[in-house]
Amino acid sequence: MLNLSTRQQVAIGLALALLMFLTRSHHWAGIHSLPDASWAIFFLLGVYVRALWVVPVLIAASVVIDYVAITWGGASDFCVSPAYWLLIPAYAVLFAGGRFYARGHRLSGMGLLRLAGVALVVVAVAQLLTTGGFYFFSGRFAEPTLAGLVLRLEKYFPPMLGTFALYVGLAAAVH
């Protein structure tokens, strides 16, 4: 288990909130923007921050950022549908995965393998929730099928996993 002071946890929490603002604001940024770090942020919150109240606060912040981007920033509202709310359990899974990892954290090769394994599982579950939820519950697809879902997972999972790995890898290197 990581033993961080309250001050360290607050600093990490604020840095992650800032990272969310900077990367989730891609809605109105240009091609030079950083990829959205939201999934890695919720995982890292689970690793580093003990206070549970940060999860709903950052979920609310992500909704506000999206609202502002759509309302005033000219971003598309295509992804905002009844399925949008499946981001909440996806973020909760990522946070819980971070917590689970933190309980057995070790600075070792095995610790790094454990990090990779936990990260892969939680990103896969989050991807199933978000892609599957959007595909089946958004109302944007006339006749969703399991085969159609598999095609979407093949398309969206690798880039999401790569982005997640980038941010979590950077955090591991800094740690």
Side-chain angles (χ1 to χ4, degrees):
M1 179 68 98
L2 296 172
N3 190 16
L4 300 175
S5 70
T6 301
R7 186 179 198 166
Q8 290 170 315
Q9 291 178 54
V10 168
I12 291 168
L14 289 172
L16 291 172
L18 178 62
L19 182 63
M20 178 180 281
F21 174 75
L22 293 174
T23 63
R24 196 173 182 100
S25 64
H26 71 279
H27 296 300
W28 58 80
I31 195 160
H32 302 294
S33 62
L34 294 170
D36 185 353
S38 297
W39 285 24
I41 289 166
F42 282 97
F43 182 81
L44 293 170
L45 280 174
V47 172
Y48 290 111
V49 179
R50 296 295 115 217
L52 293 176
W53 60 264
V54 299
V55 176
V57 167
L58 280 186
I59 288 172
S62 70
V63 171
V64 169
I65 291 167
D66 290 348
Y67 176 78
V68 169
I70 291 165
T71 305
W72 292 297
S76 170
D77 66 351
F78 182 78
C79 290
V80 179
S81 71
Y84 180 82
W85 300 107
L86 283 167
L87 285 173
I88 295 171
Y91 291 155
V93 164
L94 292 161
F95 178 80
R99 281 280 170 100
F100 176 78
Y101 169 75
R103 278 190 226 116
H105 168 73
R106 300 284 181 269
L107 288 176
S108 67
M110 287 304 292
L112 199 54
L113 283 174
R114 185 170 181 274
L115 173 61
V118 170
L120 181 61
V121 169
V122 298
V123 170
V125 171
Q127 189 72 51
L128 278 171
L129 284 167
T130 57
T131 299
F134 185 74
Y135 183 61
F136 286 108
F137 304 118
S138 69
R140 307 264 194 240
F141 304 93
E143 295 181 31
T145 64
L146 213 44
L149 173 61
V150 169
L151 291 173
R152 281 167 175 68
L153 289 171
E154 287 175 352
K155 179 178 180 180
Y156 296 111
F157 183 67
M160 185 58 80
L161 181 61
T163 298
F164 182 87
L166 168 73
Y167 287 115
V168 172
L170 287 171
V174 169
H175 182 88

